[in-house]
Amino acid sequence: MSQCDVIIGGGGMVGLTLAIALAKGGLSVAVADPVHQSAALDTAFDGRVSALAFATVRMFEALGIWPHLAKDAQPIHDILVTDARLNGEPSPFSLHFDSAEVGAASLGHIVENRHTRAGLFAVAATLPNLRLIAPAALIDLAPGPQSIRASLSNGETIEAALAIAADGRESEMRDRMGLGVIAWSYPQWGIVATVAHEKPHNGVAYEHFLPSGPFAILPMTGNRSSLVWTEDEKLAPKMMQLDAEAFNAEIARRFGNHLGATEAAGPRWSYPLKFHLARGYVKPRFALAGDAAHGIHPIAGQGLNLGLKDAAALADVLLDAARLGLDIGALDTLKKYERWRRFDSLAMAVATDGLNRLFSNDIAPLRALRDVGMGLVDAIGPARRFFMRHAGGDVGKLPRLMRGEAA
Ligand SMILES: Cc1cc2nc3c(=O)[nH]c(=O)nc-3n(C[C@H](O)[C@H](O)[C@H](O)COP(=O)(O)OP(=O)(O)OC[C@H]3O[C@@H](n4cnc5c(N)ncnc54)[C@H](O)[C@@H]3O)c2cc1C
């Protein structure tokens, strides 16, 4: 049986970032994941991009991850939000967020998840006190008074002061440790595809609110954008089955022609959209982070940013405890993390759920209400800046890493 300070189940973007932060802070860390590194970097594994908020970018800079991503990151200079109809003109009320207004070079960056993973693997490989065990799933946890014992699918047993589940939305460890969830499904799927277009996007991200849900066009490097297309659950499977020509025609109906001719480049992916929030984030010697703790609607592109804020907050709480010689797996240490993060995640989950309900319909009074609301926010500078600070993750109590400081 081997020993370490922290065992993390899940080497996704949240689990690996957390492992790097804790290892850089001096703890010994093991990360187990059933997916081998080379498979996790394959273009066919995850077609998503993520909008990294500027607080997230500061964290990646502080951890030395950002230099590995910078060349593949597309800065977002402007965000244009419109209330639109299929084939129709957008409503005259729209929202425009401009990075210059908050004195920032960008409102965040779009990075393909595979590039973020590659950067995380590269930094993890430089840390002698971080051990990545893959392929190996965490299959059981047995907490005791002084430590927790983790069993892995490769037959290994690891004893640690603390186990963290960062094993995604269907977290088996969350269920095994008896942390229930509040959950529901949206009658929508997220369809994700990369689109090549004729004209440059100039770093502008668009969000068209269509009756079936938001249709986001996120600028990628080159003349490419990533679509995050929210579609009715009955229609989405049909869209996924269309041949290339018909799929391109459906994209064009929603995309508009502001970037010239468009064409889907590469495969398409679909994700049934769900909401969940764990009823508790911690137990003695156990904590949840990232999608294992919460899953929100992608309408505001904040799910990963929220998970990375969990990682940064956990690093603050655990490293402070370790430096004071306290037990990092004790419930009162872990409760500090839960108090800090659970309310913040709940607030974001409620806000994104409400936005989706308000915008994903074609009901005339609601359409009028949201159009007036958008017009008002657009006309009032402080309101616009408030939304930009939220999107950038610069609100509430920021962990050290998200302020750009060392863990
Ligand atoms: C359509 C769509 C678009 C999105 N767009 C954005 C965006 O623009 N910005 C944003 O911030 N967020 C976005 N999100 C959300 C974001 O993708 C997730 O929040 C993020 O991937 C969660 O990361 P994670 O590391 O917590 O979980 P995951 O990425 O799910 O990683 C979990 C890891 O755990 C491993 N694992 C599973 N079981 C076990 C086990 N038993 N033992 C060990 N390991 C295990 C898995 O192999 C995996 O590597 C989007 C989501 C969707 C669906």
Side-chain angles (χ1 to χ4, degrees):
M1 181 165 61
S2 55
Q3 290 184 327
C4 61
D5 294 318
V6 181
I7 165 86
I8 300 176
M13 292 183 283
V14 171
L16 268 184
T17 305
L18 174 60
I20 290 169
L22 297 179
K24 288 208 166 197
L27 298 179
S28 57
V29 187
V31 183
D33 197 294
V35 180
H36 192 273
Q37 280 189 35
S38 55
L41 295 178
D42 196 287
T43 42
F45 181 70
D46 181 356
R48 281 174 297 176
V49 301
S50 294
L52 304 181
F54 36 71
T56 296
V57 173
R58 280 199 298 266
M59 176 179 186
F60 280 171
E61 280 168 347
L63 291 172
I65 298 162
W66 189 247
H68 295 270
L69 308 185
K71 70 173 189 336
D72 295 308
Q74 169 61 49
I76 308 170
H77 299 302
D78 291 87
I79 303 176
L80 271 174
V81 184
T82 55
D83 200 2
R85 282 200 171 98
L86 266 189
N87 295 328
E89 287 298 306
S91 123
F93 298 101
S94 62
L95 262 169
H96 178 207
F97 299 111
D98 179 352
S99 55
E101 196 180 338
V102 278
S106 73
L107 291 168
H109 286 77
I110 302 291
V111 186
E112 291 169 63
N113 289 355
R114 65 192 174 99
H115 291 311
T116 304
R117 287 200 178 89
L120 291 167
F121 286 137
V123 176
T126 64
L127 297 167
N129 51 340
L130 194 170
R131 192 174 152 228
L132 186 54
I133 313 164
L138 197 58
I139 53 170
D140 195 23
L141 289 172
Q146 309 298 332
S147 63
I148 185 161
R149 219 170 257 205
S151 307
L152 310 190
S153 59
N154 64 357
E156 205 179 322
T157 305
I158 297 181
E159 189 175 44
L162 172 67
I164 297 170
D167 51 348
R169 54 182 54 211
E170 307 300 338
S171 173
E172 269 180 53
M173 292 306 118
R174 177 187 67 212
D175 298 345
R176 200 169 272 269
M177 293 296 283
L179 289 172
V181 288
I182 307 159
W184 60 81
S185 297
Y186 292 105
Q188 296 165 319
W189 284 17
I191 299 176
V192 173
T194 300
V195 169
H197 37 78
E198 227 176 349
K199 298 184 193 164
H201 48 54
N202 298 320
V204 183
Y206 298 85
E207 181 126 72
H208 296 318
F209 285 113
L210 295 168
S212 57
F215 185 87
I217 304 168
L218 307 172
M220 298 167 74
T221 48
N223 279 6
R224 299 179 308 151
S225 294
S226 171
L227 299 185
V228 185
W229 165 5
T230 310
E231 189 48 85
D232 184 276
E233 63 181 350
K234 292 189 205 76
L235 203 53
K238 297 191 178 92
M239 295 292 158
M240 289 301 292
Q241 281 156 17
L242 291 177
D243 62 29
E245 196 183 333
F247 189 66
N248 283 330
E250 289 297 335
I251 289 175
R253 288 175 75 198
R254 292 160 176 84
F255 201 103
N257 56 6
H258 57 284
L259 295 177
T262 54
E263 190 176 32
R268 35 188 121 139
W269 284 267
S270 64
Y271 305 86
L273 300 182
K274 296 178 189 161
F275 170 101
H276 71 268
L277 182 71
R279 291 181 192 276
Y281 278 16
V282 300
K283 286 244 167 161
R285 311 223 161 268
F286 180 71
L288 299 175
D291 274 18
H294 43 71
I296 63 173
H297 196 285
I299 190 165
Q302 289 297 329
L304 175 63
N305 291 300
L306 214 53
L308 292 173
K309 205 164 175 185
D310 295 343
L314 254 177
D316 265 23
V317 168
L318 299 179
L319 294 174
D320 283 351
R323 284 165 191 153
L324 291 170
L326 301 174
D327 180 358
I328 58 169
L331 190 59
D332 52 350
T333 302
L334 299 175
K335 280 279 177 195
K336 287 185 195 150
Y337 160 67
E338 184 181 65
R339 280 194 296 273
W340 187 352
R341 294 300 307 141
R342 194 168 178 278
F343 179 73
D344 191 29
S345 309
L346 176 66
M348 179 64 83
V350 168
T352 50
D353 185 74
L355 272 178
N356 184 51
R357 282 171 204 273
L358 179 62
F359 280 94
S360 300
N361 64 71
D362 207 12
I363 304 166
L366 280 182
R367 183 172 272 276
L369 177 74
R370 69 201 185 206
D371 285 355
V372 171
M374 277 166 69
L376 275 176
V377 173
D378 200 48
I380 303 169
R384 276 198 314 275
R385 289 191 282 279
F386 169 84
F387 280 106
M388 281 188 271
R389 277 200 311 278
H390 262 272
D394 260 353
V395 283
K397 184 181 166 196
L398 282 187
R400 285 191 290 270
L401 285 167
M402 291 209 152
R403 298 198 301 262
E405 298 164 18

